[in-house]
Amino acid sequence: MTKQFSLYYLLLFIPFLGYTQAPKKTLQSKSTTEKITIDGEFNEEVWKTAPVATDFVMLTPDNGKPQANETRSEVKVVYDNDAIYIAATLYDLESSKIPKELTTRDDIGTADLFGIVINGFNDDQQYFGFYVSSAGVQADDVFTNSNGEDFTWNAIWDSHTEIKEFGWVIEMRIPYAALRFSSEKKQSWGVNFYRSDKRHNQEFTWNRIDNKIRNEAAQLGNLEGIENIETPTRLFLIPYSSYYLNSNKTETNSQFKGGLDIKYGINDAFTLDAILIPDFGQTTFDRVELNLGPFEQQFNENRPFFTEGTELFTKGDLLYSRRIGGSPSTYPELGSDEEITKYPANINLLNALKVSGRTKNGLGVGVLNAITKKTYANIRNTVTGDERQEVIEPLANYNVMVLDQRFRKNSSVSFVNTNVTRNGSFRDANVSALVFDLNTKKNTYKLNGDFKYSYINEYQTLADRKGINSSLNFAETSGKYRYSFGGQYISKYFDNNDLGINFQTHYHALYSNASYRILKPTKTFNSFSTNLNLYSEFDNRTGRIQGANINVNINSTTTKNDYFGLGMNIRPVETYDFYEPRSDDEQKFLTIPKFINFWSYISTNYNRKFALDFNPSIAFVNEKGRMNYGFEISPRYRFSNKLLFSYSFNYFRQNKNIGWIAFDTDGNTIFARRDRVTYTNSLYGKYTLNNKMNLNLTVRHYWSYAVNKDILTLQDDGSLMQNYNYVVNKNSNFNTWNLDLSYSWWFAPGSQITALYRNNASLFERDFERNLSSNFSNVINNNLNHIFSLSIRYFIDYNSLKH
């Protein structure tokens, strides 16, 4: 969606000082009591007299150019007490050539597109977007000025498309349950209509979006005429049932699950979402890697409840929702004759709910709450054989609360609080933040920042800890030339890791940016920008510099919609790493040498049947023989509108890399000079039967190894000394294999059947062969797990059920 749908990226272009926005267009909607069938025929009487939105203008590439009459767009809007309805007629003299690739939801692919974006509060700061491709594929998003577009948000609405001799038509029904608006009797909404002509690489909007203005949400037109609507009760039930069959070399078992999702409209502006006995067994697999660094690997959130409609909860960047239902927070204490026989990797989620919405005065309120299950580890005495259990995670409550006040149509101040309360004598955590984003009236300058405070009520006898994290940034956000500068301070004991994620503390940083971009296409480029970024970071306790970077990059899109870019990163001075040694209170440090890194990329136009992505990089470190290099190449081929395959190969090598491996018996910090090589092979395929039914294949084999060449001891001055006494094998070899083959059928709005076959395996070794085929064979043959699951979700509207 990011590559194909360039609306958001183009709209990052910002106004010059003193620019005046053109008057907004206005469309009158029309009330109806007539039953409207969503069939693309527009046979109902109300369509004959409804006002028409026309005179679209080009968004890209030639911003502001009027749409030609032979490719004109005409849109009508009517409404009743349940929903609004949209009828769009899009003219194209060569309708047989309209591209219409079938894809999964939210992935438009190579197809024309029509969309409507709606801001029920007309506050110039957000909108909900609903899009339909020429193949009938739906996409929807929520846009905010602070976070941009979020296509993880999914609503339940209806649409139908038809290709005609004169072009194509779209009919849409968007229920009020998918929108947010005030309780006023007379509504005034912000609205815009969007059209993408993929064949000619052109995009159009009804109300002009000027690429000199940063605030896209402030450039919607007005939708008037919606009055005295009596919205029905917004109560939706989504019961589900799932069956899992698990098998490996040692056992086979099966499991049935059932649960319920509830969506309730408290009023037209606030919604409650709840999940009871959740099941996330069919979410996308994590792309696990060999992690030799001091910090945990961060994973994407794939569980729908924690990705849909969560824009309020991202304020302040305090929420890493993978903490909810993540790994246990403690490890059991073992006797000399004890061993752990079972240590659960994750904690079960019992239930979760979120309430969010915004008042007519611009105050956004969000509350997210989740409860996780009490979890035990099994422990066995190796002498007596006795077994016992120990609590490694008690019953716990996770809570996020957000108050976000918008004002002046482009600014906001927010208060955010996250809290984790664990039952009994376990660690509790509370983090609060004040966040502000202030823009001048003409969106030419921005001042934003935050102040965060954490309080940790530590586990058992450990001391409680308090910390702060604060940042301030100023930016000039107008014209071809722009700049920004700012700073950040994090104290030693700031800790938001119970419900958020943060790797480094006890430092302060200064940073700045200068950039240039074109605002109009040229004979060669549709877009072109270059950036200079400067960053420096210092340890609070010693004043030592622990980060220094100069980055220069160029990014461009040609008139044929091919993407090119290149860049350079430089560390011009030695820095000091306080984290890699993993010492108590992070007192020890490792001296990091100077380096320079070059990278580039090319991504050809995905409209072509064959497209290619290629990303090479190389880095030179100021030590003899130490360097990094690699590349990723990803060809893709679209066999038809239904069938597409893409393959990706990633190779990365680090020669004479330096990293921590252990502590010896005398307490010395042991490092190694090592060669590390990583291969990643990925395959993706999709066969889409129609716009509601598809097959998807995702395959990944990841292999990474590190061979230690020299063993080294860290000295107090950050240097390393050769160590001939440490002989423990700390080489690392890690393989992981994942295959997902899924069938999905949206058999009714909001209702879905999904069948998934999954197999996976992983293998970590100290002794190994450096051969791709043998590593692949070992991970597949040794411990392959097979999982087949079938899930049915059925959407029930209370208003239909009661009748």
Side-chain angles (χ1 to χ4, degrees), residues 17 30 134 183 211 264 339 572 597 672 699 736 759:
L17 189 61
K30 188 166 185 176
S134 50
S183 58
N211 63 7
Y264 174 64
E339 65 178 6
N597 172 47
V699 181
T736 181
N759 65 47

Side-chain angles (χ1 to χ4, degrees), residues 190-375:
V191 70
N192 212 347
F193 307 108
Y194 169 84
R195 178 181 177 182
S196 170
D197 180 349
K198 188 64 73 173
R199 190 166 79 256
H200 299 102
N201 291 316
Q202 295 176 341
E203 296 171 332
F204 301 87
T205 59
W206 170 61
N207 198 76
R208 185 188 175 187
I209 297 179
D210 196 310
N211 63 7
K212 300 184 186 70
I213 300 178
R214 179 190 179 206
N215 190 344
E216 173 192 345
Q219 300 186 73
L220 307 186
N222 293 312
L223 182 65
E224 304 288 353
I226 299 180
E227 300 178 2
N228 301 314
I229 54 175
E230 298 178 4
T231 57
T233 301
R234 292 194 294 131
L235 175 60
F236 309 108
L237 308 175
I238 309 176
Y240 76 85
S241 180
S242 301
Y243 171 75
Y244 291 86
L245 178 65
N246 306 284
S247 178
N248 54 39
K249 284 187 175 182
T250 59
E251 64 175 341
T252 298
N253 59 71
S254 61
Q255 183 181 19
F256 283 96
K257 293 184 178 181
L260 178 68
D261 291 2
I262 301 173
K263 297 179 182 293
Y264 174 64
I266 300 171
N267 55 35
D268 292 327
F270 285 83
T271 299
L272 179 148
D273 293 273
I275 49 175
L276 307 176
I277 319 176
D279 175 24
F280 302 121
Q282 293 190 335
T283 55
T284 304
F285 60 81
D286 290 326
R287 298 180 178 271
V288 181
E289 299 177 354
L290 174 62
N291 184 7
L292 300 179
F295 307 120
E296 65 181 296
Q297 183 181 350
Q298 185 172 356
F299 296 108
N300 293 329
E301 178 59 86
N302 299 314
R303 298 171 295 179
F305 179 84
F306 295 106
T307 61
E308 297 176 357
T310 56
E311 66 279 356
L312 263 179
F313 302 106
T314 62
K315 292 280 184 179
D317 197 25
L318 292 182
L319 175 64
Y320 176 47
S321 58
R322 290 294 296 263
R323 297 290 187 213
I324 304 172
S327 57
S329 61
T330 67
Y331 198 82
E333 294 185 7
L334 301 178
S336 58
D337 297 325
E338 289 185 320
E339 65 178 6
I340 293 178
T341 57
K342 182 181 178 182
Y343 185 87
N346 299 101
I347 305 160
N348 288 332
L349 177 64
L350 295 176
N351 57 67
L353 66 85
K354 57 190 176 188
V355 176
S356 62
R358 192 171 295 275
T359 70
K360 66 178 182 179
N361 295 320
L363 176 63
V365 180
V367 177
L368 187 153
N369 199 85
I371 300 174
T372 57
K373 187 178 181 180
K374 188 175 185 180
T375 306

Side-chain angles (χ1 to χ4, degrees), residues 25 53-57 66-67 72-74 205-208:
K25 293 181 177 179
T54 187
D55 298 327
F56 280 48
V57 294
Q67 188 175 28
R72 66 189 181 276
S73 308
E74 298 175 350
T205 59
W206 170 61
N207 198 76
R208 185 188 175 187

Side-chain angles (χ1 to χ4, degrees), residues 22 60 143 200 226 267-268 372 376 453 463 470 478 502 533 569 573 604 629 678 684 697 712 776:
T60 178
F143 174 93
H200 299 102
I226 299 180
N267 55 35
D268 292 327
T372 57
Y376 296 86
Y453 174 80
S470 185
S478 60
N502 183 64
N533 303 291
N569 293 309
V573 297
T604 63
Y629 57 90
T678 301
Y684 170 76
L697 173 69
L712 311 164
F776 178 74

Side-chain angles (χ1 to χ4, degrees), residues 538-583:
F538 304 88
D539 177 56
N540 293 339
R541 306 160 302 178
T542 65
R544 290 183 180 272
I545 185 168
Q546 63 180 40
N549 188 63
I550 301 172
N551 168 263
V552 180
N553 63 76
I554 295 172
N555 302 279
S556 66
T557 309
T558 70
T559 53
K560 294 183 178 180
N561 274 11
D562 296 317
Y563 296 76
F564 296 94
L566 55 91
M568 174 178 65
N569 293 309
I570 302 173
R571 183 165 57 234
V573 297
E574 289 185 341
T575 60
Y576 303 93
D577 187 343
F578 289 86
Y579 310 100
E580 182 65 22
R582 307 169 205 205
S583 61

